[in-house]
Amino acid sequence: MKYFPIYLDAKHIDAMIIGGGEVAARKIELLLKSTANISVMSETLNSSVQRLVNEHQLTWLKHNYQPGHLNNSNIVIAATDSIEVNGAVAAESTQLKLLTNVVDQPELCTYITPAIIDRSPIIIAMSSSGSAPILLRMLREQIEKTLPNGYGKLAEFSFKFRDHVKARIKGLRDRRTFWERTLRGNIGQAILAGETTLAEQQLIASLKTQTPPPSGEIVFIHTGDGNPDHLTLYAHREMQFADAVFYDKEVNTDLIEYIRRDASKYPQDIASNILINVQHVLDLAEQGEKVIYLLSGTIELPENKTLAQSPIPKKYIYSGS
Ligand SMILES: C[C@@]1(CC(=O)O)c2cc3[nH]c(cc4nc(cc5[nH]c(cc(n2)[C@H]1CCC(=O)O)[C@@](C)(CC(=O)O)[C@@H]5CCC(=O)O)C(CC(=O)O)=C4CCC(=O)O)c(CCC(=O)O)c3CC(=O)O
Ligand SMILES: NC(=O)C1=CN([C@@H]2O[C@H](COP(=O)(O)OP(=O)(O)OC[C@H]3O[C@@H](n4cnc5c(N)ncnc54)[C@H](O)[C@@H]3O)[C@@H](O)[C@H]2O)C=CC1
C-alpha cells in the first residue's frame, strides 16, 4: 500500500484552506461533515465558499497566501488556481510536518482524500491510491447503491447493547456467533426496516434464553479455476464466517484473502483430490468451528467413510468457472 488509511478524530482537526473557488468549496463541504474548525485564506471567495463561511462561521483570512499562518493548523489544503502558490503552500506545510493536500498535484500531497460512504457510525473510505479518482467515484456510487441506508443503525444498535451482551455471554467466540446470528437474522432485518423497538425486545428475549453453543460445520468449496473474481456470492459469504480454513498447495492462495481474517489457517501438503485431512477437520467442527476446506478444480472428493458417517453438517459448493 502506498497510502496508509486512518480515521482522524474530528475534534482535533484544525484545517486551513488556501483558495476560495470551486475546489475549495468541495473540500470545505467534505470537512464540514465532521468539523467546522476551518479557516479559509483567500482575498476573494466565490459565492459557494462565501455562503459556507457565513453559514458555519468559518474563519476567513481576507488576504492571499502569505507564509507564517499555518502554525495553528494540522491539515492544510492548497486549492488555488496557481501552481506556484500551491507549491509554496505545500513547501511550508510539509516543512511543518502538517497533513498537506494539493489539488491536482498528488506528488505534493502528504495525504489524499478518499471517496466516502457515510452510514454513520459506519464510514467507508476508499482510495485508488491517486491512480483513478473518477473510477473511484464510480465504484463508490456502485457500492452505495447496494448498501442499505439504515446500515449505520445496525452499528448503533450493537453499540447500545454491547456491554449488556458482554456481561451475559462470556466467551469471545460465543459472542461473535451471537452477534453474527443477531445481525444477520430477524433482529437485523427489523433494525434495517426501522423497527428498532421490536428489535430491542427480540434481543432482550434472545439473551434470556440460553444461547446454545455454536454448532460446527464443514464447507467444502471447489474453487474451479481459482480466480477470486469467479467466486460465487454464496461461497464468498461462507468464507467470511470461517473459523478455520484448510487448503492444499494447488489452491490459489489469493483466495485466502477472502477468508475471515481471524480464521486459523491450515495449509496442506497433499492435493485434496488424493487425500483430505478428515480427522483434523472433524475435530475442529466438533468443537463448534465452522471449517472451510478449499479444493482446487472441480474434482470429486476421495471417498471417506469417517466423513460420511459423521453427523456434522456438511456443505459442498462449486465456485469459480
Ligand atoms: C490524488 C487526489 C488528490 C485529492 O484531491 O485528495 C485527486 C486528484 C485529482 N482529481 C482529479 C479530478 C477529479 N476528481 C474528482 C473527484 C474526486 N477526487 C477525489 C480524490 C482525489 N483526487 C485524490 C485521489 C484519491 C484516490 O485516488 O484515492 C475524491 C475521491 C475525493 C474528493 O476530492 O472529495 C472525489 C470523488 C468523491 C466521490 O464522488 O466519491 C472529480 C469529479 C468527478 O469524478 O465527478 C474530478 C474531475 C473534475 C473535472 O475535471 O471535472 C484530477 C484531475 C484528473 C484529470 O484531469 O485527468 C486529479 C489530479 C490527478 O489525478 O493528477
Ligand atoms: N473545478 C474542479 O472541479 C477542478 C479543478 N481543478 C483545478 O484546481 C484548481 C482550482 O480550481 P477551482 O477551485 O475551480 O478554481 P477557481 O478559479 O474557482 O478558484 C481559484 C481560487 O484561488 C484563489 N487564489 C488565487 N491565487 C491565490 C493566492 N495567491 N492565495 C490565496 N488564494 C488564491 C482565488 O481567489 C480563487 O478563489 C485549478 O488549478 C483547476 O484547474 C482540478 C480538478 C477539478
Side-chain angles (χ1 to χ4, degrees):
M1 286 197 289
K2 185 172 172 208
Y3 293 93
F4 183 71
I6 54 168
Y7 287 80
L8 300 175
D9 186 337
K11 67 175 178 289
H12 298 292
I13 291 178
D14 206 322
M16 173 70 80
I17 319 291
I18 325 288
E22 265 327 292
V23 170
R26 199 169 85 204
K27 300 282 181 186
I28 293 169
E29 270 172 354
L30 202 60
L31 281 165
L32 279 171
K33 282 171 180 276
S34 51
T35 179
N37 213 356
I38 303 169
S39 305
V40 185
M41 191 193 304
S42 177
E43 195 177 315
T44 56
L45 305 180
N46 77 3
S47 57
S48 318
V49 178
Q50 186 72 65
R51 180 180 54 79
L52 293 170
V53 166
N54 294 342
E55 265 177 28
H56 300 275
Q57 296 173 358
L58 311 181
T59 307
W60 177 20
L61 306 180
K62 297 177 185 164
H63 53 78
N64 276 347
Y65 170 67
Q66 297 161 4
H69 291 275
L70 303 182
N71 290 322
N72 293 324
S73 312
N74 46 29
I75 294 186
V76 174
I77 300 175
T80 79
D81 51 359
S82 153
I83 289 181
E84 292 74 30
V85 175
N86 288 348
V89 173
E92 182 188 3
S93 174
T94 42
Q95 213 213 341
L96 293 168
K97 297 201 185 301
L98 308 177
L99 289 173
T100 307
N101 185 264
V102 183
V103 300
D104 259 6
Q105 282 170 280
E107 67 283 2
L108 296 184
C109 296
T110 64
Y111 81 92
I112 57 175
T113 325
I116 297 170
I117 300 177
D118 182 2
R119 298 281 189 277
S120 282
I122 301 273
I123 296 157
I124 304 177
M126 297 181 292
S127 172
S128 71
S129 307
S131 65
I134 294 164
L135 176 69
L136 186 65
R137 195 244 306 144
M138 287 157 58
L139 176 67
R140 194 255 309 151
E141 287 168 352
Q142 204 178 327
I143 296 177
E144 282 221 316
K145 270 189 243 151
T146 62
L147 204 66
N149 256 325
Y151 214 82
K153 291 205 206 104
L154 288 176
E156 278 165 8
F157 184 87
S158 307
F159 182 63
K160 185 165 173 189
F161 287 99
R162 222 161 100 179
D163 287 345
H164 200 65
V165 171
K166 229 183 220 172
R168 182 74 184 72
I169 303 176
K170 291 298 175 198
L172 181 65
R173 232 170 67 72
D174 288 354
R175 270 205 300 279
R176 175 158 59 76
T177 310
F178 175 83
W179 278 118
E180 281 173 5
R181 278 194 200 148
T182 304
L183 297 172
R184 259 193 299 175
N186 291 343
I187 297 178
Q189 290 304 322
I191 299 165
L192 287 177
E195 294 164 353
T196 320
T197 316
L198 176 71
E200 291 186 359
Q201 286 162 353
Q202 286 182 349
L203 183 101
I204 290 160
S206 78
L207 277 173
K208 280 192 188 134
T209 58
Q210 194 64 36
T211 41
S215 53
E217 68 169 336
I218 306 169
V219 183
F220 291 101
I221 303 179
H222 296 267
T223 59
D225 63 5
N227 182 344
D229 286 347
H230 297 165
L231 276 181
T232 58
L233 211 58
Y234 183 30
H236 199 263
R237 206 170 47 223
E238 293 292 334
M239 289 159 82
Q240 289 292 305
F241 291 102
D243 294 308
V245 57
F246 287 69
Y247 54 100
D248 65 55
K249 54 181 172 215
E250 283 171 26
V251 167
N252 181 2
T253 47
D254 289 350
L255 293 169
I256 306 304
E257 291 283 315
Y258 295 79
I259 298 278
R260 194 176 67 84
R261 212 196 291 187
D262 293 340
S264 328
K265 301 183 179 60
Y266 300 101
Q268 304 293 309
D269 287 335
I270 302 174
S272 42
N273 58 348
I274 300 171
L275 188 72
I276 63 163
N277 199 342
V278 175
Q279 202 49 56
H280 194 179
V281 169
L282 282 172
D283 287 348
L284 294 177
E286 274 159 16
Q287 290 160 29
E289 299 208 356
K290 182 184 180 85
V291 184
I292 303 283
Y293 209 123
L294 298 178
L295 311 164
S296 55
T298 53
I299 303 163
E300 288 291 307
L301 277 181
E303 201 146 313
N304 189 294
K305 269 206 183 124
T306 324
L307 185 67
Q309 284 164 3
S310 158
I312 295 281
K314 289 150 234 133
K315 280 185 198 150
Y316 298 85
I317 299 175
Y318 287 81
S319 186
S321 41

